[in-house]
Amino acid sequence: MYDLVIEGRILADGSPVDAYLCIEGGRIARVCKQPPVSGEYGEFHRQGRSLLLPGVIDTHVHFRDPGMTSKEDFTTGSISAAFGGVTTVIDMPNTRPPTIDLGSLMVKERIASTGSVIDYGLNLAIMGGSDLMAVDTLLKGGANAPAPVGLKAFLGDTTGSLVFGTISSLSKWSPVVENTGAVLALHAEDGSLFEPVKDPEDVKDILLQHSRARPAASEASAIQKATEALGEQAGNAHILHVSTEAGLQAARSSRATVEVTPHHLLMDTKWCERNLEMQAMGKVNPPLRTPSDRAALWGGIADGTVDTIGSDHAPHLIEEKSQGYLSPSGMPGVETMAPLLLSEVSKRRLDMNRFVELCCSSPADRYSLAGKGRIAEGSLADIMVVNLREGRKIKGDGLHSRCGWTPYEGMVGVFPGMVYSRGEPIIDGENLCGKPGRGNNVRA
Ligand code: NCD
Ligand code: ZN
Ligand code: ZN
């Protein structure tokens, strides 16, 4: 007896085929070509010719909770994620207080477990002064709190000021990484190569100036120094939001894995001049780059250098973003990531299987999220229902993040018609059906 059967199409060896997903206890118990006989199931959902894709795993979100909940909290952030087809998130530690030890991890765990609509994992920040033994214990789940899914080091200064310190001292962390197998997520910018901003008052050229102040060389240098410092353990490093051709090249010559973001793929400084209402909406770390850097990132997607796509959802209020060069860096993106990429798929600029790899199966593998990221027998029934012909214009005030704006205003996104998390509908069209607090910690 199945709880639910979903009829639709799944990708089999890359091509869509008709299928029935039989769901029991939150998992896909069977995938069949013929419908089970009535009486064998509770509910039956007809999704017609729509694709049943794995729910997206966004391994890079800043939900701002605790401490900055006027921008976002775990509930608004996770609802926004769910509407964009995201069924699992990994939250970053630059909150207030920052997630750096058992106490702050437990505070965030309470917030997430009572507020999240979707499943989540938490990252722990490491810095010069971190207690290596304590972090090791936390990672092994031996401290009365669900283990963090990974470590995060901000190698250059960015929102939250949790700068790691001298990059070469990452070598100290090799044994911890080796012992625990933890993923070490790196914000890779080398602050020693930052340059002063020439003219902060020049509102028109904010983004070009930002990119010059935090040059491509600083990204490449941070990647090189960090992977050198980690030595044998460099394979455990996941280089976040790689933005330049030089950065990509540095990552290629290391064993680290690579994340890129939708904003670096879809926007560049030139594009912003034409398309953004306010240039500072595009201010982000690492900065948006040149059209040729952007093309290089697409090259990295095509040639396999890029392992995952993460949104780096970093909401700030529009008032904060209205201060020209003084605006904080970061932009929202968790709700628009899959819709924008699916729109690229519909225009044949991105292969559908590659989309599923980059946004679902590879993030699950990278962070060892058992049962996540695949439509297969035995997997968790995290599913988004997608019809590539149903694109619609993105509007900031129609999205669900508390920040209420998007840099992608007016662009077309393919939003999922329905989203299931562990077999439960959490989004049905315009309606939220999932309740805050239903989300589980992936390490619980
Ligand atoms: C992020 C934020 O606002 O938390 N900002 C950003 O520009 N990407 C921090 C970060 O990921 O560097
Ligand atoms: Zn970052
Ligand atoms: Zn980030």
Side-chain angles (χ1 to χ4, degrees):
M1 181 76 182
Y2 303 117
D3 304 322
L4 165 69
V5 172
I6 310 174
E7 175 205 57
R9 295 198 299 162
I10 62 168
L11 294 176
D13 295 324
S15 315
V17 295
D18 295 340
Y20 298 85
L21 304 183
C22 308
I23 292 158
E24 198 188 320
R27 287 186 184 264
I28 302 173
R30 274 195 70 198
V31 179
C32 10
K33 291 202 169 96
Q34 299 299 324
V37 293
S38 59
E40 268 188 0
Y41 53 82
E43 282 187 55
F44 192 94
H45 292 180
R46 249 176 244 287
Q47 303 294 357
R49 311 256 320 140
S50 290
L51 280 168
L52 310 176
L53 299 177
V56 166
I57 301 171
D58 188 349
T59 57
H60 192 164
V61 303
H62 300 266
F63 279 173
R64 309 300 193 202
D65 200 355
M68 290 165 279
T69 52
S70 62
K71 302 177 200 260
E72 195 81 284
D73 65 30
F74 229 102
T75 299
T76 56
S78 63
I79 290 173
S80 183
F83 273 101
V86 175
T87 49
T88 311
V89 284
I90 297 181
D91 188 52
M92 288 300 177
N94 58 336
T95 42
R96 278 195 214 127
T99 318
I100 48 171
D101 53 17
L102 176 61
S104 49
L105 185 66
M106 283 172 71
V107 167
K108 189 172 279 186
E109 171 58 19
R110 203 164 313 126
I111 290 169
S113 64
T114 54
S116 190
V117 168
I118 57 173
D119 294 346
Y120 60 89
L122 304 177
N123 260 339
L124 193 83
I126 57 169
M127 285 164 303
S130 301
D131 178 340
L132 277 79
M133 291 290 282
V135 170
D136 189 276
T137 307
L138 285 177
L139 287 169
K140 288 175 176 155
N144 266 340
V149 287
L151 301 176
K152 168 84 181 267
F154 292 93
L155 302 181
D157 189 30
T158 183
T159 315
S161 302
L162 284 178
V163 198
F164 175 76
T166 320
I167 300 178
S168 59
S169 59
L170 264 182
S171 57
K172 278 201 308 201
W173 289 91
S174 276
V176 176
V177 165
E178 184 174 12
N179 266 333
T180 59
V183 174
L184 176 53
L186 297 176
H187 177 114
E189 288 186 286
D190 182 348
S192 73
L193 296 179
F194 288 175
E195 280 160 32
V197 183
K198 297 252 158 39
D199 181 7
E201 303 295 317
D202 184 350
V203 187
K204 198 178 138 277
D205 268 349
I206 291 171
L207 298 181
L208 213 55
Q209 292 208 54
H210 190 49
S211 180
R212 286 186 187 138
R214 305 173 75 112
S218 75
E219 184 171 71
S221 164
I223 295 170
Q224 206 173 351
K225 286 184 183 172
T227 51
E228 247 167 55
L230 289 166
E232 286 288 297
Q233 306 311 317
N236 282 43
H238 190 41
I239 315 290
L240 304 182
H241 44 43
V242 172
S243 64
T244 60
E245 182 163 24
L248 208 58
Q249 202 45 45
R252 267 193 196 104
S253 19
S254 79
R255 287 169 35 216
T257 52
V258 171
E259 172 200 81
V260 297
T261 68
H263 47 272
H264 292 111
L265 287 170
L266 298 171
M267 298 193 265
D268 54 56
T269 49
K270 274 227 153 58
W271 183 94
C272 290
E273 278 170 27
R274 293 192 306 267
N275 294 284
L276 288 186
E277 187 191 321
M278 284 193 299
Q279 291 300 295
M281 284 178 165
K283 184 170 180 245
V284 66
N285 297 333
L288 298 176
R289 306 296 188 177
T290 62
S292 84
D293 280 313
R294 178 180 159 192
L297 299 183
W298 282 104
I301 284 194
D303 72 14
T305 308
V306 175
D307 297 278
T308 69
I309 299 182
S311 73
D312 192 9
H313 177 74
H316 295 286
L317 298 179
I318 199 68
E319 303 85 78
E320 300 169 312
K321 283 296 228 178
S322 308
Q323 308 169 75
Y325 199 81
L326 296 176
S327 304
S329 291
M331 59 181 86
V334 71
E335 189 167 348
T336 47
M337 174 165 78
L340 286 166
L341 293 171
L342 287 168
S343 174
E344 296 296 300
V345 171
S346 76
K347 288 180 265 181
R348 299 182 189 278
R349 290 190 203 139
L350 174 63
D351 174 68
M352 178 60 105
N353 295 303
R354 194 74 180 112
F355 165 81
V356 172
E357 238 169 58
L358 290 160
C359 295
C360 313
S361 54
S362 296
D365 295 347
R366 190 71 185 98
Y367 283 91
S368 309
L369 307 177
K372 298 264 183 197
R374 284 181 176 82
I375 301 291
E377 288 181 0
S379 287
L380 290 163
D382 290 357
I383 299 161
M384 64 168 169
V385 181
V386 163
N387 185 337
L388 285 182
R389 281 184 228 169
E390 284 175 4
R392 64 175 154 85
K393 279 200 174 160
I394 295 172
K395 288 205 170 73
D397 61 9
L399 299 174
H400 299 81
S401 164
R402 182 162 286 154
C403 78
W405 64 277
T406 173
Y408 306 110
E409 190 74 31
M411 284 172 72
V412 172
V414 177
F415 288 82
M418 198 154 169
V419 180
Y420 300 85
S421 161
R422 288 177 271 110
E424 279 178 45
I426 55 168
I427 301 293
D428 187 353
E430 299 291 297
N431 301 316
L432 171 73
C433 327
K435 298 254 178 318
R438 65 167 297 290
N440 289 341
N441 187 310
V442 292
R443 293 285 190 261

